[in-house]
Amino acid sequence: MDSVAAALDRLTEVATSRPVARLSQAFAEAGQELALVGGPVRDAFLGRSAPDLDFTTDATPERILEIVRPIASAHWDIGRAFGTIGAKVAGETVEITTYRADSYDADSRKPEVVFGDSLEGDLGRRDFTVNAMALRLPERVLVDPTGGLEDLMAGRLRTASDPDVSFDDDPLRMMRAARFTASLGFVLDDAARVSMTERAERIGIISAERVRDELVKLISSDAPHAGLELLVDTGIAERILPELPALRLTVDGEHRHKDVYEHSLTVLDQAIELEGSRSDDPDRTPDVVVRLAALLHDIGKPATRRFEGGGTVTFHHHDVVGAKLARKRLRALRFDNATIDSVGALIELHQRFFGYTEGGWTDSAVRRYVRDAGDQLERLHILTRADVTTRNRRKAERLAHAYDDLETRIAELAAREEMDSVRPDLTGEQIMDALDISPGPAVGRAYRFLLELRLDEGPLGEEEATRRLLTWWAEGGKD
């Protein structure tokens, strides 16, 4: 948290920048109000640079367009029905929204859009006090009718209006509370937490797409742990991602096992850390696939838990079951097919490495590991390493060294055999020529035979591969 003076200096820099100065001058000359609002103002006090420039005004959408057309290199009105106009001014993308005074139906997730007539009224209908501050332009006066600055100083997240009213108006704000708890590192005030718990079922009226987008924003934050805990503790997760609270398995005195819920959150924490440490790209974006896989990798355990003799607990095939559950849940949340397939594959493969520590893998086993991971190999490296949460230092070091060894072998084999494009030594046409056959199932069987040879023994060369193929064919491969 920066000092108020430093934050005001930063806001002054933003207000006097070329795009903002041109915009504020144009609105002033047109006799309309304009204010920088929300995230950019909040982030100035947090010492952060805001990626977006959001403004609010008393001008109608039609009037906003009249004002920005002469000074914008481009403009669009995709959000016009909600009072928002976008534009490109002096190279910067800006969004300008008419003051809002929306009303909501108790059973609807969409507001009846009503334009307001004052900045203070507009700020009072926003989600949280820290997002309800504005800087009037061009005079550069801070407007804070809900006490957002005081909450910022206290590290407190509080709704701008009564939490019951706020969350009834837009239940998605309950998920936004979790996201801001995580991304800002603030503590949600007690009244809002109680209201979230009492209104958890209201999240059911929100579309799956909006829930998905908010979940992605949460897990894309630097430290989503606290936000996810808030969703679980208030009952929101039970309605949008029930597999997560289901991980809180009861542990009795006889049958002991790791706390799967806490383990999963820790794996997510560690995956995020590895995601950063293994990348040299300063502009990298959060890897939603690896984070979803880390969070959901053990969701098959509740369904596969078995109590064995001597107090032992097993979770046989929880990887396969978990992959199916994850795919089903992500489909329900309207994730795209590529994400669903990638997350499912990672969960299904996340246990594979632990066989490596039980006995030396042959080169063939290493090749199969790489082949099965495909283009998810780097993500699988991250997930598998993150899945080690033991407090036993010697065991953790042993597993880390084992995975170092596996990655080294993968790199050596890749360099020696160009393993990223593992293919048989003969093409389909060469197989048909060698066996004097036409296209059909037999070609596929022969191809798979040569692929297995390639995986087991590495490159054979065309002549040796042809000899092996003819022997296999003569010994029954054609049947």
Side-chain angles (χ1 to χ4, degrees):
M1 175 79 185
D2 276 14
S3 69
V4 174
L8 292 176
D9 287 343
R10 190 174 293 105
L11 284 172
T12 297
E13 290 178 13
V14 175
T16 55
S17 65
R18 187 162 174 257
V20 179
R22 289 192 68 181
L23 201 62
S24 60
Q25 180 182 354
F27 274 78
E29 290 175 353
Q32 303 286 171
E33 297 178 5
L34 185 73
L36 184 69
V37 68
V41 180
R42 177 200 67 217
D43 288 347
F45 287 95
L46 293 173
R48 304 177 180 181
S49 57
D52 304 311
L53 290 175
D54 296 325
F55 299 87
T56 188
T57 178
D58 62 345
T60 63
E62 293 75 17
R63 182 66 171 138
I64 294 172
L65 280 171
E66 291 176 11
I67 296 170
V68 301
R69 277 195 188 103
I71 64 171
S73 59
H75 58 80
W76 50 93
D77 58 0
I78 192 170
R80 187 170 183 167
F82 297 96
T84 300
I85 302 297
K88 197 87 160 182
V89 178
E92 290 285 345
T93 299
V94 301
E95 286 194 352
I96 308 138
T97 303
T98 305
Y99 295 156
R100 298 271 291 273
D102 300 342
S103 60
Y104 290 75
D105 183 274
D107 297 318
S108 173
R109 58 175 174 261
K110 296 181 180 178
E112 178 186 349
V113 178
V114 178
F115 296 141
D117 55 10
S118 74
L119 174 59
E120 289 77 7
D122 176 90
L123 296 175
R125 57 157 288 281
R126 291 177 179 259
D127 52 5
F128 302 102
T129 61
V130 296
N131 297 329
M133 297 184 291
L135 187 71
R136 284 191 185 274
L137 300 170
E139 55 267 52
R140 303 201 295 272
V141 174
L142 183 68
V143 181
D144 179 21
T146 65
L149 182 55
E150 182 181 345
D151 287 337
L152 270 176
M153 300 290 288
R156 177 174 57 234
L157 190 66
R158 186 169 57 87
T159 53
S161 58
D162 180 280
D164 292 351
V165 174
S166 182
F167 294 149
D168 276 342
D169 279 352
D170 185 359
L172 193 65
R173 288 174 174 172
M174 296 187 289
M175 289 192 67
R176 285 170 62 83
R179 169 159 61 97
F180 286 123
T181 295
S183 62
L184 301 179
F186 286 7
V187 176
L188 184 68
D189 81 320
D190 291 341
R193 180 181 286 269
V194 169
S195 185
M196 282 178 65
T197 304
E198 293 176 345
R199 284 161 175 72
E201 65 181 18
R202 288 277 292 161
I203 201 69
I205 71 169
I206 301 297
S207 69
E209 291 81 1
R210 291 183 73 202
V211 168
R212 174 203 64 210
D213 290 348
E214 197 58 47
L215 179 62
V216 167
K217 290 176 183 177
L218 169 57
I219 66 170
S220 296
S221 63
D222 291 339
H225 192 129
L228 290 165
E229 284 187 323
L230 179 61
L231 291 180
V232 171
D233 292 345
T234 57
I236 305 291
E238 184 65 44
R239 290 157 176 83
I240 63 168
L241 195 63
E243 294 80 6
L244 183 58
L247 293 174
R248 296 187 294 187
L249 302 175
T250 302
V251 181
D252 59 36
E254 179 186 358
H255 300 97
R256 297 183 179 277
H257 57 76
K258 186 180 298 182
D259 185 324
V260 184
Y261 169 66
E262 286 298 335
H263 165 74
S264 297
L265 293 179
T266 301
V267 172
L268 175 59
D269 293 341
Q270 296 184 166
I272 292 172
E273 183 178 351
L274 285 167
E275 187 185 314
S277 65
R278 290 174 67 95
S279 174
D280 296 325
D281 182 4
D283 299 319
R284 68 176 181 84
T285 56
D287 192 333
V288 172
V289 168
V290 81
R291 295 181 185 205
L292 284 170
L295 182 64
L296 304 178
H297 75 285
D298 273 348
I299 60 173
K301 282 191 170 180
T304 58
R305 182 171 63 162
R306 298 291 182 270
F307 298 122
E308 310 291 348
T312 302
V313 180
T314 62
F315 302 97
H316 294 310
H317 306 302
H318 77 271
D319 43 0
V320 176
V321 173
K324 291 179 180 178
L325 291 173
R327 290 186 176 102
K328 182 178 179 181
R329 177 54 53 195
L330 295 180
R331 279 195 294 270
L333 289 171
R334 305 292 192 271
F335 276 89
D336 61 276
N337 288 335
T339 297
I340 294 170
D341 290 342
S342 297
V343 172
L346 288 170
I347 293 174
E348 194 162 349
L349 292 169
H350 83 273
Q351 285 288 103
R352 182 79 66 86
F353 158 73
F354 294 99
Y356 188 84
T357 64
E358 296 168 3
W361 278 6
T362 63
D363 285 352
S364 172
V366 175
R367 292 187 190 100
R368 283 185 170 81
Y369 188 78
V370 174
R371 180 193 64 179
D372 292 347
D375 59 2
Q376 301 302 310
L377 182 60
E378 174 59 21
R379 285 169 168 159
L380 184 58
H381 289 335
I382 291 174
L383 176 59
T384 304
R385 287 182 178 275
D387 196 22
V388 178
T389 62
T390 178
R391 295 179 183 178
N392 184 319
R393 183 176 174 181
R394 292 182 63 183
K395 181 179 179 181
E397 289 178 350
R398 178 172 57 82
L399 289 169
H401 290 321
Y403 208 89
D404 288 342
D405 183 66
L406 175 58
E407 285 204 62
T408 298
R409 290 182 63 189
I410 289 171
E412 290 173 347
L413 282 171
R416 192 164 71 236
E417 304 172 5
E418 298 181 352
M419 203 168 75
D420 354 1
S421 54
V422 174
R423 293 183 178 88
D425 293 272
L426 302 180
T427 65
E429 287 187 5
Q430 289 173 316
I431 290 172
M432 288 187 286
D433 288 343
L435 300 178
D436 193 23
I437 59 176
S438 301
V443 179
R445 292 199 303 274
Y447 188 94
R448 287 191 292 275
F449 165 73
L450 289 175
L451 178 59
E452 289 298 318
L453 276 181
R454 172 72 170 80
L455 290 168
D456 286 338
E457 302 182 29
L460 299 172
E462 183 178 338
E463 182 178 345
E464 177 64 13
T466 301
R467 187 186 69 79
R468 297 281 197 96
L469 175 65
L470 292 173
T471 300
W472 169 79
W473 185 256
E475 292 177 351
K478 62 182 176 182
D479 298 327

